[in-house]
Amino acid sequence: QPRHLPLPLNPNTRVSFAYELTSIAIILDASPSLTSTFGIQSMMCDFSMFGEEKTNASQIDDTCCVPLDRLGTLMKKYLQGLVQPIEVPPVAVSGLGVAFGRWTPNLAITVAAAYPPTSKGDAASAGLLVRDFRVTDESSALELACQIERWALREVESVIAERLSGERFFSGDGLAGREKDGRYEHNVPSMSTLGTFSLPSTKMGSWTRVKTSMKDMLAIGDAAISTLPPEGRPVVLVATDCRNVHCGGIFDSLSETARVDVLLSVLDLSSSPTQGSVDAGDRGSSQPSSWEKEYLGMDFSPSILCVSDDSQPLRDMAHLSGGIFLDSTVLDNYVSTTVGSPITPSSHLQGDYHFSFKKRSIKPNGLQWYSLFTISPFTPAMSSPGGLLSSLRPMSSLGSSSFYRTSSSIGSSLGKPHESLNPSVTASLYDSRTKTHSAGLEERVVFAKYNIQPVRIKSLLMTRVVEGYRARRYGHNTQDKDKVSVHLVLRIADCGVALHYEASFVSSPYHMPMVGRAHIKLELSGEDLDFIQTVKKMFVSNHGSDSVVLQHGRRISTSSRQSAEKICKLLRWTRKEDYLESYLCLPGWGEVNHFAPGSGFLGRLGTLSNLQMHRHFRSSTFEIITVSSNSHEKRASIFSDVMEQNQGEDEMYSVLSSWSSGMILNNRTLYFKEIIPAHDDDLAYYCIIRILQSTTVSRLFTITIDFHGELNAEQRLSLCSSLKEKLSGRTDIIVLEKCISPFVAIRPSSPTQSWLPCWNEYFIHHKSWDLVKDEEVLPLITKRRTGHGKFFLLQSDVHRGVFVKFKKSKEEGLPSQTMDIVIYQALSRDDGIFVDIHMEACRSRFYPFQCRSPTPFSIIFENVKSRDKDCAKAIRSRTNLLAALDHGPNRFDSAVFDLKGAEDVMRLIKLSKMYNKKLRFFDSEGSGMANDLLCTLTTEYITSDSFQTQAARLSIDQNMPIFRYSGSWFIMRVDWYVWSLVCLEKRSQVQCEEGSLLSFRHLSFFTAGITDLYQSDDNDDDADKSLSGSDHFGVSEIASEIECAHEKHFARACYEALRNTSVPMTSLENSEVTYALS
């Protein structure tokens, strides 16, 4: 946005802007009609073209047998046309000096397919080709176009066939039909996939009943836009053959609150020419041709292959959003024509004055002009002879023939919106070629007139623009500089009428010129005057539509009455919202303090709906996570002795209270801030701060700042930055770099609930695995993620833990590192413990879910999965071994050995710390039964009630070596969360001590706490590498107790061995006698 413009401004000046980066979501309508050969006239040779020069569109059609075949060629033209270099003359740029040369647009593109629901009940789904692919030159555009063509003709075509003939299941990894383990489900299809394209009349009549929902495609487009850089201008390009598309209507778009300033463009893949050259009634026959009927046979039923032609509703939707409708002819015309160049009368650009203006320094082509450049929506634009308009005024002329064809075109797909009350008018309404209508002679019926004061004219007009109004007239209606008249029009294609909104504004003499009084006039126009009069009677009636049931002695049809009720509701809504806009401007008008605590104005702010906030405010949103020292605030966990509350949430409310001017609602969810107080010549500027806690995870909060007034973007961004800095300064608050709430996918708590994927899940990686069931697995996994994985905790309770982290990645072709979201969740249910990990798809990588080479997601997945499974196995081993304590000392059976117990011991030893104690034993030569008696006495003492520590002997074979240790194994509970594995070795060792040889055996303690199970199992055979450390968890006192008792056991064993005659003791060392007598 330049600080200074190169030319002086005047009332007729129009300033155009171009975005440095454009974020484009390309959505392919993967409906069965894309692969259908029926209704395609180019399938047969057109002998009339022989000897004549064919157009580019005809050449494309000659090589295509189905609409999907045209995607690659048209996409190549579209992308190459967008990135054509634009000559830039020398121009002064603030802070950068003089810029000149050639500017090549930069595009960030995500490509996805939208699969409609099938007649068998399969839900709609999506498939991803690439996310955030950068197109900066012709070569990258050609690469993307080739990949799109290859993907469409292989994967998309195959999925369409499988959805028609078989079944596929969704796993959440972004690719429609992939199972959790990455394999496809192969069911016995009702017919072969090749039979899908032959379309036998006895089986394939159901495919014509499949309709693609435009609402679903726009939702997929929104999800695709969320994967692209937010600084780019959002554009959704829908590639479709315009058949069997359920478009909805204007009333659906008026209630939309999530889509702001998103251009919708349509790329027509059908072989029919554009509406400007052929009437819509002749466009692409929806009935099969004669040769197709002959092929189908005599039993052909016309209803089998009857598909609707929805090109006109799609054209209306594109123009309503500011986008364009492109077919092969229009696309060629746009790409080959530059701004200011001569335009032929037959060109689709004819009538766009701003495009044909010759004195332009920057001259993009037509496609760039309508896609990358923008002019104020208050700029009036003229219509072309064929009814096509530029994107500056995205609606057909109210007097053009295309306007009056809308009802019939929408009626073909949805049923007629209303039934005309005058049959003669109906004939003229649906037969535009027999009658020409003039906008100047069009009769407008006045519905309401009212005045609002005070009002900010810019805010008022922007409210209408958000609803879809565009300017027919904008300028002064008198010589007075403080007066202006604006005429806006909203075309209601559902009902075949147009709503006129005329505002006459007079500036206040006591305030700035943009504040004053406005006189509003609401009018309705259309061909069916009887219908309009019916609408007016309902509008002025206080008894609703029940009192207006007859017209000219005939009863009004139900469809007409419903349409009239919708229009009345819209008119009343417009009038009500205008009064609300004036009310929101009151702070600073008069002597009343509207921001006083408990005032009626603040109370009214607290009752605004989301739709009203969307209409009257400009919003900015970011998200935060509240953290605390204890990650288990909802229960007394094993990691804390007392319960702690989430301190970050209290800090968040404290910051908002100090940063804002006051609280609107007492539940601490709504605040307000007076940005600029009212002064002598202007009203107050303020904003509303909304805090919304996530319904799925407790620690995630969304903060939305809604600005009222005419603050520019720089002021809004500065205010948001100040609040983010305040929040970032607190230790228990983390301000996220990007919003993560759309990517948080929660597995259902009940196994009977189905996991229905949202559209964002088709654009993210997903893998899942299960862990062994144990009550301590979830808290241990939670501790591992927060302590070792650098994850932020989003939710933690008895059954679930959800975490998030940002992974830095540097992909080839991207200018810098990117931050990708990684969501990790663990759920404990009765049927097991399930772990899911999600991550954004790799940027600029084609087929990201089928990539065999290592990806950032695959690396994270393999690492996290292995560690989780190791941790869960260690917990299960601990539980199995501690179970021996519940059976008492009599559990040991020397005849039955537990091999699984040996594996549990081996697993836990690698996570433990070793403490060694030497116990005196007899010399093995001539000792008789002395050593066996001594081992028995020591074992009985360790497992007896007189031993201070709870212990039990494990059923492990003494001859089985475990990390070079063999003998009697015990499990001891040192503390509630500390245990020790004890091995009394079977073999004696000899050492020299004071000149004599002494025989001893090792009593080894392998001690670990529950926190030691976080470590990774590296499958290392050398146990000594893991058995080190000076902290023995207090086992030294236990070892001393055993050693003290061992002296008595030594003397008793010596005594009994000397008295044993069956196996007598033949030799006894002096040192052994001395030790026994001591």
Side-chain angles (χ1 to χ4, degrees), residues 853-867:
S853 60
T855 62
F857 174 75
S858 63
I859 296 174
I860 294 178
F861 162 67
E862 295 295 341
N863 187 22
V864 172
K865 179 181 177 181
S866 62
R867 291 177 179 271

Side-chain angles (χ1 to χ4, degrees), residues 196-313:
T196 302
F197 301 96
S198 64
L199 300 180
S201 58
T202 57
K203 295 184 179 181
M204 291 308 299
S206 60
W207 78 270
T208 61
R209 298 193 297 268
V210 175
K211 280 186 174 293
T212 302
S213 173
M214 196 63 187
K215 182 179 180 180
D216 289 345
M217 285 196 290
L218 291 179
I220 297 174
D222 293 339
I225 289 293
S226 65
T227 67
L228 297 172
E231 62 270 16
R233 186 193 195 187
V235 177
V236 176
L237 176 69
V238 176
T240 176
D241 63 342
C242 304
R243 297 177 184 272
N244 278 10
V245 181
H246 182 87
C247 297
I250 183 65
F251 296 103
D252 297 332
S253 62
L254 287 176
S255 60
E256 180 62 52
T257 60
R259 197 172 299 109
V260 181
D261 193 29
V262 178
L263 271 66
L264 170 64
S265 296
V266 178
L267 183 63
D268 187 4
L269 303 180
S270 66
S271 60
S272 304
T274 185
Q275 178 186 343
S277 56
V278 175
D279 181 70
D282 298 332
R283 180 196 180 280
S285 173
S286 60
Q287 298 291 339
S289 58
S290 57
W291 71 268
E292 293 168 346
K293 294 181 180 180
E294 182 179 356
Y295 169 78
L296 291 172
M298 298 301 295
D299 58 344
F300 168 73
S301 174
S303 61
I304 293 179
L305 296 177
C306 182
V307 295
S308 62
D309 176 15
D310 301 293
S311 58
Q312 185 60 46

Side-chain angles (χ1 to χ4, degrees), residues 66-247:
V66 295
L68 190 62
D69 295 339
R70 300 182 183 87
L71 178 64
T73 304
L74 295 179
M75 194 59 62
K76 178 181 177 181
K77 291 183 181 180
Y78 177 80
L79 295 175
Q80 289 182 335
L82 283 180
V83 296
Q84 281 185 2
I86 302 173
E87 298 292 338
V88 179
V91 59
V93 181
S94 177
L96 299 177
V98 178
F100 60 92
R102 305 180 72 187
W103 174 61
T104 302
N106 187 9
L107 310 177
I109 299 178
T110 294
V111 184
Y115 300 101
T118 65
S119 57
K120 298 180 180 180
D122 298 330
S125 63
L128 178 65
L129 170 63
V130 67
R131 170 207 172 202
D132 196 6
F133 184 85
R134 298 303 175 94
V135 177
T136 57
D137 51 22
E138 186 176 357
S139 61
S140 57
L142 182 61
E143 178 186 3
L144 178 59
C146 293
Q147 290 287 351
I148 292 176
E149 183 178 21
R150 179 177 179 270
W151 167 70
L153 297 181
R154 295 188 179 184
E155 180 174 317
V156 175
E157 195 169 359
S158 175
V159 173
I160 293 175
E162 292 187 24
R163 288 177 65 85
L164 286 176
S165 60
E167 296 182 1
R168 303 179 70 176
F169 298 101
F170 171 78
S171 68
D173 63 349
L175 179 62
R178 175 171 293 184
E179 285 189 323
K180 182 170 65 176
D181 57 358
R183 296 176 301 176
Y184 291 107
E185 179 74 9
H186 295 285
N187 295 324
V188 179
S190 58
M191 56 178 291
S192 66
T193 56
L194 292 179
T196 302
F197 301 96
S198 64
L199 300 180
S201 58
T202 57
K203 295 184 179 181
M204 291 308 299
S206 60
W207 78 270
T208 61
R209 298 193 297 268
V210 175
K211 280 186 174 293
T212 302
S213 173
M214 196 63 187
K215 182 179 180 180
D216 289 345
M217 285 196 290
L218 291 179
I220 297 174
D222 293 339
I225 289 293
S226 65
T227 67
L228 297 172
E231 62 270 16
R233 186 193 195 187
V235 177
V236 176
L237 176 69
V238 176
T240 176
D241 63 342
C242 304
R243 297 177 184 272
N244 278 10
V245 181
H246 182 87
C247 297

Side-chain angles (χ1 to χ4, degrees), residues 354-616:
H354 303 283
F355 181 84
S356 58
F357 186 67
K358 298 183 180 299
K359 296 182 179 180
R360 287 195 177 274
S361 55
I362 300 178
K363 297 185 177 183
N365 61 40
L367 184 61
Q368 294 170 331
W369 173 251
Y370 293 130
S371 302
L372 309 179
F373 288 77
T374 183
I375 289 184
S376 169
F378 304 123
T379 303
M382 290 75 69
S383 62
S384 64
L388 291 175
L389 288 184
S390 67
S391 61
L392 305 180
R393 179 173 176 261
M395 63 183 69
S396 297
S397 173
L398 301 181
S400 66
S401 59
S402 63
F403 172 77
Y404 297 102
R405 275 200 301 269
T406 303
S407 296
S408 61
S409 61
I410 293 185
S412 63
S413 59
L414 302 179
K416 289 185 179 180
H418 77 277
E419 200 174 306
S420 177
L421 303 178
N422 191 337
S424 61
V425 174
T426 306
S428 64
L429 183 65
Y430 298 143
D431 190 6
S432 59
R433 284 176 289 181
T434 62
K435 185 174 181 180
T436 303
H437 308 282
S438 173
L441 301 178
E442 191 177 276
E443 181 178 356
R444 303 196 319 231
V445 178
V446 179
F447 275 69
K449 295 181 180 180
Y450 50 92
N451 295 314
I452 52 176
Q453 182 184 7
V455 67
R456 296 183 185 273
I457 185 61
K458 181 179 178 181
S459 298
L460 179 66
L461 296 180
M462 286 305 300
T463 302
R464 301 282 81 84
V465 170
V466 172
E467 294 176 349
Y469 287 83
R470 292 299 183 266
R472 169 177 282 193
R473 186 186 72 253
Y474 184 90
H476 300 274
N477 58 353
T478 66
Q479 298 298 324
D480 299 330
K481 295 183 178 180
D482 60 344
K483 298 179 181 179
V484 67
S485 177
V486 183
H487 181 194
L488 304 174
V489 181
L490 175 64
R491 177 179 161 198
I492 308 177
D494 303 46
C495 306
V497 297
L499 178 59
H500 300 260
Y501 183 92
E502 191 167 350
S504 300
F505 176 77
V506 180
S507 297
S508 171
Y510 308 104
H511 296 82
M512 62 175 295
M514 302 299 288
V515 177
R517 182 182 74 255
H519 174 74
I520 308 300
K521 183 167 60 175
L522 297 178
E523 300 172 316
L524 203 64
S525 67
E527 270 298 291
D528 195 346
L529 297 180
D530 291 338
F531 174 73
I532 295 177
Q533 290 298 331
T534 301
V535 176
K536 186 172 183 179
K537 289 182 180 181
M538 289 185 180
F539 181 77
V540 299
S541 174
N542 296 326
H543 303 285
S545 61
D546 295 335
S547 60
V548 185
V549 294
L550 296 177
Q551 180 73 19
H552 297 296
R554 297 194 308 272
R555 180 175 296 273
I556 301 175
S557 65
T558 302
S559 60
S560 298
R561 186 168 61 252
Q562 292 176 350
S563 299
E565 288 175 349
K566 290 181 180 181
I567 296 175
C568 292
K569 184 178 180 180
L570 176 58
L571 291 170
R572 294 189 183 100
W573 161 265
T574 303
R575 183 174 57 183
K576 175 185 175 182
E577 294 307 303
D578 283 349
Y579 283 117
L580 176 60
E581 178 64 34
S582 176
Y583 184 79
L584 295 175
C585 296
L586 283 179
W589 186 271
E591 302 298 332
V592 180
N593 183 11
H594 295 87
F595 292 136
S599 65
F601 181 80
L602 294 181
R604 182 67 180 92
L605 292 181
T607 62
L608 296 177
S609 64
N610 291 333
L611 183 58
Q612 290 173 329
M613 300 292 288
H614 175 73
R615 290 288 188 267
H616 301 282

Side-chain angles (χ1 to χ4, degrees), residues 628-678:
S628 62
S629 56
N630 178 24
S631 59
H632 295 266
E633 70 276 7
K634 294 189 177 181
R635 72 183 182 106
S637 67
I638 61 176
F639 305 109
S640 60
D641 297 330
V642 296
M643 295 177 61
E644 296 181 13
Q645 298 299 322
N646 189 350
Q647 302 296 330
E649 186 172 343
D650 296 333
E651 289 189 1
M652 176 190 68
Y653 291 124
S654 175
V655 169
L656 291 173
S657 298
S658 60
W659 184 82
S660 63
S661 302
M663 187 184 303
I664 298 178
L665 298 180
N666 294 328
N667 57 2
R668 302 192 301 181
T669 60
L670 207 61
Y671 298 81
F672 76 94
K673 181 179 180 62
E674 189 176 12
I675 304 173
I676 302 177

